[in-house]
Amino acid sequence: MTLLIAIMMILAYLLGSVSSAVLICKLFRLPDPRLHGSGNPGATNVLRLGGKLPAVLVLVFDILKGTIPVWGSYFLKIEPVWLGAIGICACLGHIYPLFFGFKGGKAVATAFGTMMPIGLDLAGLLIGSWLLIVALSGYSSLAAIITVALAPLFTYMIKPLYTLPVLMLSILIIARHRENIIRLYQGKESKVWDKSKRIRE
């Protein structure tokens, strides 16, 4: 089992290292998201750079990067705490991609993908929370931070067994947003639909 866990962690990291934002921007002949807009290779920055279709494709692929290794590990009977570790590896691949110079994104979509196997009810709560906060505030980063902070609570309400793995993911994603937290506090964070400024997701 130990070897199997190690293999799944490595595979999760390698899958997470595939930067869909960079590849899809190349496909649509858009600017490199690592060098333009926010500089963050994620769906929100691609939305600003190229519109809805490429952004949706990036979002779907980034979610699958988290879902596939965790769901596969679940069917291999790997224990919940290790499912969390495998999910973190997928997120670390997105944040520090081996194939793209270790310059990656915030891993929000990938983290969401790792939580999807827990249940559609959890997924619905997470999506609903994110949409509500974006609608009220306009800040993608604020929505991500609050949603992942609520994720362990939602998980405890639905499937307590997975609370610890989700908490591990939440801490990682919130830590990754430390610069956004500072900008939000200073009133310098740009809103998701703001295309007029140099922005950071």
Side-chain angles (χ1 to χ4, degrees):
M1 181 62 74
T2 302
L3 177 59
L4 178 60
I5 292 170
I7 291 171
M8 293 306 298
M9 291 175 70
I10 292 169
L11 290 176
Y13 172 76
L14 293 176
L15 182 59
S17 291
V18 179
S19 179
S20 61
V22 175
L23 296 176
I24 288 172
C25 281
K26 286 184 178 180
L27 179 65
F28 282 83
R29 298 182 180 179
L30 298 172
D32 190 326
R34 297 169 297 179
L35 304 175
H36 295 82
S38 68
N40 179 54
T44 303
N45 195 30
V46 173
L47 174 65
R48 295 167 181 145
L49 295 173
K52 294 180 181 179
L53 178 58
V56 168
L57 293 175
V58 170
L59 180 63
V60 170
F61 188 85
D62 284 351
I63 289 172
L64 290 175
K65 290 195 302 187
T67 302
I68 291 171
V70 173
W71 215 340
S73 300
Y74 170 80
F75 283 110
L76 291 171
K77 309 297 184 183
I78 291 176
E79 295 179 2
V81 66
W82 290 111
L83 294 180
I86 290 164
I88 286 174
C89 286
C91 292
L92 288 174
H94 182 88
I95 295 169
Y96 305 108
L98 176 65
F99 310 123
F100 294 87
F102 300 99
K103 182 176 175 59
K106 302 291 176 63
V108 175
T110 303
F112 171 72
T114 66
M115 298 178 199
M116 279 188 64
I118 294 174
L120 294 179
D121 41 5
L122 175 61
L125 284 170
L126 295 174
I127 293 170
S129 298
W130 189 89
L131 290 174
L132 177 62
I133 298 164
V134 168
L136 292 175
S137 70
Y139 295 111
S140 172
S141 57
L142 179 63
I145 292 163
I146 294 177
T147 300
V148 298
L150 290 172
L153 175 61
F154 292 155
T155 305
Y156 181 77
M157 293 165 53
I158 295 166
K159 288 188 179 178
L161 181 64
Y162 296 98
T163 302
L164 178 59
V166 170
L167 178 61
M168 293 160 59
L169 286 165
S170 296
I171 292 171
L172 173 65
I173 301 305
I174 292 172
R176 181 62 173 162
H177 280 80
R178 60 190 179 277
E179 293 180 1
N180 300 87
I181 294 170
I182 293 170
R183 287 196 298 272
L184 285 164
Y185 179 77
Q186 295 174 340
K188 297 178 180 179
E189 185 78 331
S190 295
K191 297 187 176 183
V192 67
W193 47 74
D194 184 358
K195 296 183 179 180
S196 62
K197 301 177 183 178
R198 178 172 177 80
I199 41 187
R200 295 181 175 84
E201 184 177 351

